[in-house]
Amino acid sequence: MPLLKEKDQQAVRERFAKELKNPVKINFFFSREDTSEETRITGELMDEIGGLSEGKLDVESIEGKDSERARRLRVDKMPALVIYGDGDERDNIRFFGLPAGHEFATLLHTLITVSNDYHVELPDALVEKVRAIDKPVKIQVFVTTSCPHCPPAVVVSHYFAMLNPMITSEMIEANQFDDLSRRYGVQSVPMTVINEGKQTFIGSRKPEELYNAIEKAL
Amino acid sequence: MGHLDIGSIFKQESDVRDTYDCVIIGGGPGGLTAGIYAARGGLATLVLEKGVEGGTLNFTPVIENYPPYSSIVGMELAQKWSEHAERMGVTILHEGVVEVSFFGENLTVKTDQGRTIAGKTIVISTGSSYRLLGLPSERRLAGKGVSYCALCDGALFKNKKVAVVGGGSSAIDEALYLAQTAGSVTVIHRRDQLRAEKALADKAFQNPKIRFYWDTVVVDIEGEQSVESLLLENVKTKERAREPFDGVFIYVGLDPSSGCFKGVLDMTEDGFIIADPHTLETSVKRVFAVGDVRQKEVRQIVTAAADGAIAASFIIKKYF
Ligand SMILES: Cc1cc2nc3c(=O)[nH]c(=O)nc-3n(C[C@H](O)[C@H](O)[C@H](O)COP(=O)(O)OP(=O)(O)OC[C@H]3O[C@@H](n4cnc5c(N)ncnc54)[C@H](O)[C@@H]3O)c2cc1C
C-alpha cells in the first residue's frame, strides 16, 4: 500500500515535473536496530517520492552511523536525511525524524529549492549578511509534524544553510529525538536552538531575527 | 500514517496584479469560500493569507460538525478547501495585510512585504486569535509549559499531567486531543457547567483521563524554568490551592483580528466588525466582513463558509 494517496501522488508528481530542475540526492541514514514505525515509513516515503520524480531524485538508503558516508556527512544521529545537489555532496541540510504532516511540505520545498541551484527567497541584503558569516553555526529547529507554524521556521533555517556552508541546519522531530528535546527543554514548537543552546527562541520568526540570534550566539 | 501536507504555503506567486475585482483578507473557511464564489462569478479574485491557508482549521485536531464529514482531520479539510479555491481560479498570496485605506471607491491594502494592492471590493475574513489569561507569569512561561496550541505541543507532554483552562467547545476539543497522549487532563473552568457542544462534553465526561474543576480560576502559573504548578481559586468559596502540573493549555476565548480596521469600520466595543446581516457589507460601501471577525451569534466553520457565499454573491449582484 503506498503511503501517499492516489490524488496526492498525482499532485506531487505534477509539482515535481514543473518545479524540479537539477537532480537532487536524498541520503537516508538508518540503523538496523531501530525497528520503529517512523523510521520504516521514512524510508518508504523517500522511495515513494523518488518514484514520482522521473529520476530527478536519487534516493539512497544507508545503514549505520559508522558507515563511511555517515562519517563524511557528519551524521551523528538517526534516522536522518541529508539532501544535496548532484555532485556537490553538501552535508549541511538535514532532517532528523519523519518529515510527515506539515513537515512534508517543508521537505518538498527543500528538494525543489536545492534542485533550482539553491535559489532562496530572501531579501538581497540579508543574503549578503548570511553569506558573510565566517564561523561555524549549527541551527536545530525542533518541530512536531502537526504544528502548522513549524514549516516556515525550518525553511528559513535551511535557506541559511543553503547560502553558506559554514551553517548547518537541522529539522528535528521532537518526539523521535526526545533525549535531545529534553536537553533543551523543548515544550513548545517550533523551537530553534543555535550552537548547542547559545541562543534559543520559540516560534516562527522573521529571517532577519534568525540572523540576529546567530550574531548573538557567535 | 496521518495526513501529509503537500504544501501550497511555499508555492511562489509569480503573477500578482495591482488591482483585483475582489481582494479577500484572510484565507480561512470564510475567506476561501468567498473566493470560490467570487471566482466562479467571474471576478478576478485574490486571497491574502499571512499564515496557513485554511486558517483555524489547521489548529483543530478533528472536526465532527462540518457536514457531510462525520469526522475529518482539520489539516485535511484545510488542504481540500484551499485546493478547491485554487482550482476555481483564486490566487492565494502568502502575505499579511498591515494597513488599509478605504476612500470612496479607492480601496487599497498594504502587505507586510510592502506591496500595495487595490480592490474594487474587499472581503475581510481575518478570523480571531486566542485570548490570554492576562497573568504576568503566563507571558514568562509561554512556550515553557504554557501553550495555546495542543496540536503543536501536545505530543511533548506524553504521560504528563496537563491542565486545560476554559469550558467552551474549543477547550473540550483540545482536552480530548491531549487525553490521547497525556497522562491526565484537568479541565479548569470558572463556571459550574460547560459551554461546549453536548456531544463533545459527553465524550469528555466519559473519558477516564479527563477530570473537571468547576467554579475554578487560575490565579497564578508557577515555575522557574518551566511550569511546575498552578495556583487555583474557587470563585464561590474563595479557597485557594496549589497543585503541580507539567503544562497548561489555555482556551479562554478568542479576540477578533480586527486591529488594522480600527477607526476605519464600525465595530463593537470588543472589536467585532459590524456588517449588515443580509448582505454582510460593513459601514464602508464595497467592504464586507465574514466569519469569526464579524459581530454574530454562531462562530463555526459552516457559518463562516455561509458568510463567504453570501458576501461574494451580493458583491457580484450589486457591483459587477
Ligand atoms: C481549537 C478550535 C477548535 C474549533 N473546532 C471547531 C469545530 O469542530 N467545528 C466548527 O464548526 N468550528 C470550530 N472552531 C471554530 C472555527 O474554527 C471558526 O469558526 C472558523 O475557522 C472561522 O473561519 P474564518 O474564516 O472566519 O476565520 P479563521 O479560520 O480564523 O481564518 C482567518 C485567517 O485570516 C488570516 N489573517 C488574519 N489576519 C490577517 C491579516 N492581517 N492579513 C492576512 N491574513 C490574515 C489568519 O492567518 C487566518 O488564516 C474551532 C475553533 C478553535 C479555535
Side-chain angles (χ1 to χ4, degrees):
Chain A
M1 253 274 283
L3 295 164
L4 281 161
K5 289 181 214 138
E6 181 67 41
K7 192 176 70 56
D8 291 345
Q9 283 180 30
Q10 191 51 34
V12 172
R13 192 182 287 120
E14 277 168 22
R15 206 162 151 215
F16 279 169
K18 206 164 88 199
E19 298 181 50
L20 284 179
K21 196 174 112 189
N22 308 320
V24 176
K25 300 260 191 202
I26 304 178
N27 282 188
F28 167 52
F29 294 90
F30 66 101
S31 127
R32 212 177 289 285
E33 292 85 66
D34 174 6
T35 54
S36 71
E37 175 94 343
E38 288 86 355
T39 298
R40 183 181 58 77
I41 291 178
T42 307
E44 283 177 23
L45 187 60
M46 292 313 117
D47 287 338
E48 225 173 283
I49 60 171
L52 299 171
S53 71
E54 283 167 17
K56 288 263 172 72
L57 301 179
D58 176 8
V59 181
E60 203 178 332
S61 299
I62 300 146
E63 211 279 304
K65 213 157 63 178
D66 301 324
S67 66
E68 162 60 23
R69 181 87 56 88
R71 227 167 308 144
R72 217 161 59 224
L73 297 181
R74 298 182 295 137
V75 174
D76 54 352
K77 51 191 176 289
M78 293 183 294
L81 298 168
V82 181
I83 291 168
Y84 52 89
D86 194 24
D88 64 25
E89 205 173 89
R90 288 176 65 158
D91 62 1
N92 62 341
I93 302 155
R94 304 138 84 90
F95 289 82
F96 292 94
L98 172 62
H102 285 294
E103 289 312 315
F104 190 61
T106 310
L107 175 73
L108 295 185
H109 184 71
T110 301
L111 294 169
I112 287 166
T113 310
V114 170
S115 173
N116 285 273
D117 308 306
Y118 299 90
H119 178 75
V120 306
E121 294 282 316
L122 291 174
D124 293 342
L126 183 62
V127 167
E128 289 311 309
K129 287 202 287 188
V130 173
R131 286 210 171 114
I133 293 173
D134 57 2
K135 296 195 190 78
V137 176
K138 178 153 124 190
I139 313 171
Q140 297 177 300
V141 185
F142 290 83
V143 302
T144 61
T145 56
S146 52
C147 159
H149 6 245
C150 288
V154 180
V155 163
V156 169
S157 167
H158 279 3
Y159 276 173
F160 278 34
M162 290 177 195
L163 288 173
N164 187 337
M166 294 297 272
I167 302 172
T168 299
S169 169
E170 306 187 337
M171 177 214 86
I172 298 174
E173 206 289 317
N175 279 300
Q176 273 176 272
F177 292 90
D178 53 352
D179 284 350
L180 207 52
S181 304
R182 223 168 298 130
R183 183 187 321 159
Y184 295 116
V186 179
Q187 291 196 307
S188 196
V189 288
M191 177 160 157
T192 302
V193 175
I194 301 169
N195 286 358
E196 324 283 348
K198 288 258 165 51
Q199 283 289 311
T200 63
F201 61 82
I202 292 162
S204 260
R205 303 270 183 95
K206 292 221 151 59
E208 285 79 8
E209 292 176 62
L210 175 61
Y211 177 81
N212 294 339
I214 292 173
E215 262 200 326
K216 273 198 212 136
L218 289 177
Chain B
M1 190 175 62
H3 188 71
L4 289 176
D5 177 358
I6 55 172
S8 43
I9 168 166
F10 300 117
K11 250 192 262 162
Q12 294 178 23
E13 211 38 77
S14 42
D15 46 348
V16 179
R17 307 193 219 159
D18 299 334
T19 305
Y20 285 85
D21 294 333
C22 184
V23 170
I24 298 167
I25 310 172
L32 290 176
T33 306
I36 291 166
Y37 274 76
R40 287 176 62 80
L43 307 190
T45 305
L46 177 75
V47 170
L48 289 153
E49 170 54 59
K50 69 166 182 182
V52 198
E53 298 152 45
T56 305
L57 300 181
N58 291 288
F59 297 88
T60 307
V62 280
I63 293 151
E64 299 184 332
N65 57 6
Y66 182 70
Y69 298 106
S70 55
S71 175
I72 184 164
V73 172
M75 190 203 298
E76 189 176 352
L77 186 59
Q79 195 171 316
K80 281 179 193 286
W81 219 310
S82 73
E83 278 168 14
H84 187 174
E86 286 191 295
R87 202 160 301 149
M88 293 301 127
V90 176
T91 304
I92 300 175
L93 180 65
H94 288 101
E95 292 180 19
V97 170
V98 288
E99 219 181 286
V100 296
S101 135
F102 300 154
F103 288 109
E105 293 195 4
N106 266 333
L107 310 172
T108 60
V109 303
K110 202 163 149 201
T111 75
D112 49 14
Q113 302 299 313
R115 215 192 282 262
T116 302
I117 298 170
K120 290 181 189 149
T121 57
I122 305 273
V123 175
I124 298 164
S125 46
T126 45
S128 44
S129 51
Y130 55 77
R131 186 177 298 159
L132 304 181
L133 275 177
L135 303 169
S137 51
E138 178 184 13
R139 272 181 199 278
R140 184 172 59 82
L141 292 169
K144 298 174 181 150
V146 173
S147 175
Y148 306 87
C149 180
L151 254 182
C152 307
D153 304 334
L156 304 168
F157 293 86
K158 212 179 267 173
N159 303 321
K160 297 273 171 67
K161 181 176 167 187
V162 301
V164 170
V165 187
S169 288
S170 55
I172 301 309
D173 240 5
E174 306 303 293
L176 286 164
Y177 176 74
L178 288 166
Q180 293 174 15
T181 48
S184 76
V185 179
T186 305
V187 175
I188 298 167
H189 186 37
R190 66 193 155 114
R191 301 181 201 284
D192 59 4
Q193 57 183 14
L194 297 178
R195 269 181 300 116
E197 205 187 17
K198 186 170 182 306
L200 278 175
D202 286 347
K203 259 198 201 165
F205 291 139
Q206 279 157 23
N207 190 310
K209 277 198 193 167
I210 301 178
R211 57 184 183 150
F212 295 85
Y213 287 178
W214 304 109
D215 301 315
T216 304
V217 293
V218 178
V219 186
D220 199 12
I221 305 170
E222 302 166 322
E224 281 299 315
Q225 298 302 317
S226 63
V227 171
E228 288 163 21
S229 56
L230 298 180
L231 186 60
L232 305 172
E233 181 177 286
N234 183 301
V235 291
K236 288 190 175 148
T237 64
K238 298 290 169 201
E239 251 174 83
R240 288 190 172 192
R242 173 172 289 118
E243 187 172 328
F245 282 98
D246 301 306
V248 52
F249 289 79
I250 297 168
Y251 290 95
V252 290
L254 295 162
D255 290 321
S257 308
S258 58
C260 53
F261 313 106
K262 285 234 160 75
V264 180
L265 303 174
D266 287 355
M267 286 181 195
T268 66
E269 251 174 49
D270 306 336
F272 290 103
I273 299 172
I274 298 170
D276 179 296
H278 299 292
T279 63
L280 306 185
E281 195 159 17
T282 65
S283 53
V284 173
K285 287 271 162 281
R286 295 172 175 265
V287 176
F288 294 72
V290 308
D292 279 13
V293 72
R294 80 173 179 98
Q295 179 199 32
K296 62 177 186 171
E297 288 300 321
V298 183
R299 292 198 174 83
Q300 287 283 287
I301 300 163
V302 69
T303 59
D307 279 5
I310 293 168
S313 303
F314 184 74
I315 285 173
I316 294 162
K317 196 164 119 198
K318 180 156 175 206
Y319 293 114
F320 291 92

